[in-house]
Amino acid sequence: MATKYIFVTGGVTSSLGKGIISASLAKLLQARGFSVTIQKFDPYINIDPGTLNPYEHGECYVTEDGAETDLDLGHYERFLNVPTSQANNVTTGRIYHHVITQEREGAYLGKTVQVVPHITDEIKRRMLLLGQTGEFDIVITEIGGCVGDIESLPFIEAVRQLRWDLGVHESCVIHLTLVPYLKAAGELKTKPTQHSVRDLSEAGVQPDILVCRSEYPIPADVRKKIALFCNVNQNSVIESIDAETIYDVPLLMRKEKLDERVIAKLKLPHRADPNLDTWKEFLGRLKNPTSEVNIALVGKYVELPDAYKSIIESFVHAGSANECKVNIKWFQSETISDENVASLLQSMDAVLVAPGFGERGFKGKLEAIRFVREKNIPFLGICLGMQCAAVEFARNVLKLEGAASTEMDPETPHPVIDMMEDQKQITQMGGTMRLGAYTCELKKGSRAYAIYGKSKISERHRHRYEFNNKYLPAFEEAGMVATGINPDTGLVEVIELQNHQWFVAAQYHPELKSTVLNPHPLFVKFVKAAINHAKTK
C-alpha cells in the first residue's frame, strides 16, 4: 500500500501537547500492526536546536545518527521504541539554508527564487522523504508553532499543496486546539477553537479531526457546536483531557476512538484491535508502586524541568520497572556549597549530577559529588556529571591542586578533562561536537558490565571534552577505574568508584535510549540502588 500522511497542526496557544498526541496516535496505529514514523517541522530559523538555550526550548535531543533535534523526538522514540534520525526533524533554517545554497550553485537557472514555489517545494520534498523509503505505512508530520504565526505559513501552504498532490484519502489533518473553561461564566468556551480553525481554513487547509485540549470533559452539546462551526463531523471532535501521566494519553485517545477516525479517513485496512497489553502492564506498575525513593537531580537548568526531559522520563521507566515511585528533588547547582551540602543532600536516597555546558554551577556539582562519595550515597553522573566526578576525585583524593576541565579553566595545571585534538581547530558552534551513537566496551567483572549484562554497548554522545588518559594510571591506582572504553579511540566512557556502594558516571547520555518497552539498565539499577540505600538508612 502507498504511504499515507497525517499532518498535526496546533492553534490557540503553543505547548498544547502536539508531540504527545502525535506519539500517542502513532502508538495506537503501531499497536494495530502498521509501521509508523513521526517527523517534526519547526518554524524557527536556527538550523537545529543544538545552539538554543535549554531555558528557551527545553533539552536538545540527540538521535543515533548524531542529529541535534527537538525534544519531541524523544517522545516519539519513547512511545514507539523505534529510533529517529536527521530526517525526522527539519527547521525553517535548514530549508532556507538548502534553497539558498542551491541558488548560489545555479540550480534555479536564473529564476527568481521565492517562498512559493521554491521554499514550499523543498518543505514538500522533505515531508515526503521518509514515506519514499518504503519502510513506513504511515508518516505523521507534526508542524511546530501555532497556526496564524507568520513563520508557520510556508509549512501550512506546503500541506495545502501536498493534500492536493496526494489526492483524497491519502492524507489527513488533525488540528489540536484549546477549549478553555471560564470560571466566572462557569462554562467551556469554543470561540478560540472556531478562530483557530478559521485561520487554518483561510490558509486553504480544512482539518479532518479536531483534538480539543481541556481541563474538563467536553459535553455532547459543546462538541456539536464545535463540529457545526468548524466543518467537521461530530464524531471527529476528540476530547483530550489533562492526564495524570503522558503515558495515559494513548489509552485516552483509544477511548475517544482517534485511531478509528484516522483509519476511516485514510481508508486504511482494518487490522486487529490495538494490542496494548505491555503498555497497560507498564502503567499498572507505574501507578501501583510498592516502594518510594527521593533522588536528587543536581543541575543548572532546574527551573525548567523540560531541560532534563529525557532524564525525567528515564526515571519514570526505571521506576515502573522497579515498581517504585521516584520523587525527583531539584537542586540548583549554583546554590550548593561546602556549608549547605550536607543539609541539602543527606536525606536523599541517591544523587544524579546532570549534563550541561559552561562554568555556571560547576563548583556546586563538585561539592555534591564530594559529599556522596564520602557518605557512600548512590551516585550517577551523566556527561558533564562524569567530568565533574573526575575533577572532584583529582582535587580531593589525588590532591592535584587546581585540577579542572579546560572548558572551565583553560590555564589549569592539571587538565584531567581536556578538549579532543580534532575539536581544537573548530570555530563554529552548531553540530560540531562528538554527536550520536558510539561503541563502548565494558570491562568484565565491573559494575557497568553487571548493569548491562554484556561487554559491547552503543550509546549516544553530545560533548566536546574528554577524560585525559594521561591521568588514568593515577586514578585507577587510587580506586577510580575506567570500566568503559571506546575501542576505536581509547577514550574513557565509563568510570566507577571501587569501595563505594554505587558510584557510576558515564560520558554518554543513557537517558536518550530509555523507552517504555526498554527502560535503560543504568537507570533501572540506579533506582534499585536508591531503594536499597533507603532501606539501610
Side-chain angles (χ1 to χ4, degrees):
M1 101 178 178
T3 303
K4 307 272 188 177
Y5 294 87
I6 300 169
F7 299 99
V8 180
T9 59
V12 186
T13 170
S14 57
S15 304
L16 287 180
K18 289 192 296 292
I20 303 293
I21 292 294
S22 302
S24 299
L25 172 60
K27 182 77 225 169
L28 293 174
L29 294 169
Q30 187 192 53
R32 285 176 178 272
F34 295 103
S35 64
V36 191
T37 189
I38 320 177
Q39 50 188 5
K40 172 87 185 272
F41 279 64
D42 265 315
Y44 49 74
I45 295 175
N46 303 61
I47 298 279
D48 59 46
T51 53
L52 289 177
N53 184 332
Y55 283 129
E56 287 261 333
H57 214 74
E59 79 172 2
C60 172
Y61 187 82
V62 179
T63 58
E64 285 284 292
D65 62 352
E68 294 179 289
T69 66
D70 185 80
L71 63 78
D72 273 338
L73 269 75
H75 292 311
Y76 308 162
E77 290 201 11
R78 286 188 283 272
F79 275 61
L80 294 180
N81 207 33
V82 176
T84 53
S85 70
Q86 182 78 62
N88 293 72
N89 192 201
V90 179
T91 66
T92 293
R94 184 162 274 140
I95 301 281
Y96 273 83
H97 187 268
H98 179 84
V99 170
I100 291 166
T101 305
Q102 293 275 90
E103 186 273 333
R104 292 288 81 189
E105 289 168 0
Y108 300 112
L109 299 172
K111 285 211 164 54
T112 306
V113 180
Q114 295 176 289
V115 174
V116 182
H118 301 101
I119 296 295
T120 48
D121 280 356
E122 177 58 15
I123 294 172
K124 279 159 52 179
R125 184 183 77 79
R126 297 207 181 218
M127 284 177 169
L128 297 173
L129 269 181
L130 286 167
Q132 288 159 351
T133 60
E135 291 173 41
F136 305 107
D137 302 320
I138 301 157
V139 176
I140 299 176
T141 303
E142 179 194 341
I143 309 282
C146 237
V147 167
D149 294 348
I150 290 173
E151 54 257 42
S152 62
L153 279 172
F155 291 102
I156 303 298
E157 170 59 19
V159 171
R160 181 192 72 75
Q161 292 178 26
L162 255 188
R163 299 200 79 193
W164 190 252
D165 298 345
L166 291 167
V168 194
H169 305 308
E170 298 307 304
S171 71
C172 160
V173 172
I174 299 172
H175 188 56
L176 189 62
T177 81
L178 180 68
V179 179
Y181 180 80
L182 280 192
K183 259 202 184 116
E187 59 185 0
L188 291 163
K189 289 294 180 189
T190 64
K191 193 62 78 182
T193 295
Q194 293 175 43
H195 281 298
S196 180
V197 171
R198 191 178 68 193
D199 282 349
L200 192 56
S201 302
E202 279 177 0
V205 176
Q206 168 62 39
D208 301 295
I209 298 167
L210 294 179
V211 175
C212 302
R213 271 302 297 272
S214 175
E215 294 174 9
Y216 297 91
I218 302 172
D221 59 327
V222 175
R223 293 191 197 214
K224 193 174 177 185
K225 185 179 177 183
I226 291 171
L228 175 68
F229 283 107
C230 297
N231 287 349
V232 296
N233 292 330
Q234 194 176 330
N235 65 6
S236 292
V237 179
I238 306 282
E239 165 193 293
S240 173
I241 206 146
D242 291 359
E244 189 185 335
T245 151
I246 57 170
Y247 301 107
D248 281 325
V249 178
L251 302 181
L252 294 172
M253 289 302 105
R254 171 81 189 107
K255 206 166 145 206
E256 283 285 302
K257 298 189 166 68
L258 175 61
D259 51 334
E260 290 177 30
R261 296 275 72 78
V262 167
I263 284 167
K265 169 70 190 119
L266 294 175
K267 297 249 183 298
L268 285 162
H270 234 299
R271 300 197 179 166
D273 277 355
N275 177 1
L276 294 165
D277 293 348
T278 48
W279 195 269
K280 286 174 181 165
E281 283 163 23
F282 160 80
L283 272 173
R285 290 192 306 272
L286 183 65
K287 292 184 175 186
N288 301 291
T290 55
S291 55
E292 188 170 342
V293 292
N294 295 319
I295 296 182
L297 190 150
V298 178
K300 67 179 201 179
Y301 304 117
V302 296
E303 295 83 357
L304 182 77
D306 264 6
Y308 302 113
K309 193 72 192 157
S310 294
I311 291 176
I312 297 168
E313 298 310 324
S314 300
F315 276 129
V316 173
H317 309 152
S320 172
N322 283 294
E323 295 187 28
C324 173
K325 183 178 184 210
V326 178
N327 300 315
I328 298 176
K329 304 292 181 187
W330 302 90
F331 291 95
Q332 167 56 263
S333 52
E334 276 185 288
T335 63
I336 297 176
S337 67
D338 184 24
E339 291 78 45
N340 66 10
V341 65
S343 61
L344 293 174
L345 299 181
Q346 64 192 1
S347 62
M348 293 293 127
D349 301 315
V351 175
L352 179 144
V353 172
F357 292 94
E359 198 178 350
R360 189 167 68 82
F362 186 67
K363 286 192 177 108
K365 288 182 175 178
L366 298 184
E367 282 303 332
I369 293 167
R370 180 188 60 75
F371 183 77
V372 297
R373 179 178 58 75
E374 291 173 351
K375 299 294 179 195
N376 203 20
I377 296 170
F379 166 76
L380 175 61
I382 297 177
C383 199
L384 182 64
M386 177 264 206
Q387 298 178 359
C388 289
V391 171
E392 188 279 328
F393 193 80
R395 285 185 187 181
N396 299 324
V397 179
L398 300 179
K399 304 297 181 201
L400 298 176
E401 204 174 316
S405 162
T406 50
E407 181 184 8
M408 316 306 166
D409 178 6
E411 305 300 316
T412 171
H414 295 291
V416 289
I417 304 293
D418 199 4
M419 191 180 273
M420 298 175 285
E421 281 306 314
D422 60 350
Q423 287 284 339
K424 288 181 180 172
Q425 280 71 48
I426 292 172
T427 53
Q428 287 214 327
M429 292 290 279
T432 53
M433 293 179 279
R434 187 167 169 220
L435 288 164
Y438 287 85
T439 314
C440 169
E441 282 183 354
L442 303 174
K443 287 188 180 161
K444 292 203 163 123
S446 67
R447 169 161 270 133
Y449 180 81
I451 288 167
Y452 282 91
K454 55 185 174 182
S455 57
K456 200 165 197 179
I457 58 166
S458 166
E459 293 282 4
R460 297 182 199 175
H461 290 250
R462 183 177 184 245
H463 58 98
R464 266 192 190 85
Y465 294 82
E466 300 282 353
F467 184 87
N468 186 342
N469 283 354
K470 197 172 87 178
Y471 291 92
L472 193 52
F475 267 74
E476 300 211 315
E477 207 176 300
M480 186 173 272
V481 185
T483 55
I485 303 282
N486 179 303
D488 305 316
T489 57
L491 293 170
V492 173
E493 303 273 21
V494 184
I495 55 174
E496 54 188 75
L497 196 54
Q498 295 173 321
N499 309 320
H500 189 286
Q501 66 163 323
W502 210 97
F503 190 106
V504 180
Q507 180 59 81
Y508 48 77
H509 288 261
E511 72 276 16
L512 298 176
K513 290 187 79 161
S514 187
T515 69
V516 168
L517 295 181
N518 281 322
H520 197 286
L522 254 180
F523 279 89
V524 173
K525 296 296 193 293
F526 181 50
V527 170
K528 185 100 179 91
I531 295 168
N532 292 338
H533 184 65
K535 285 178 187 160
T536 59
K537 277 200 302 190

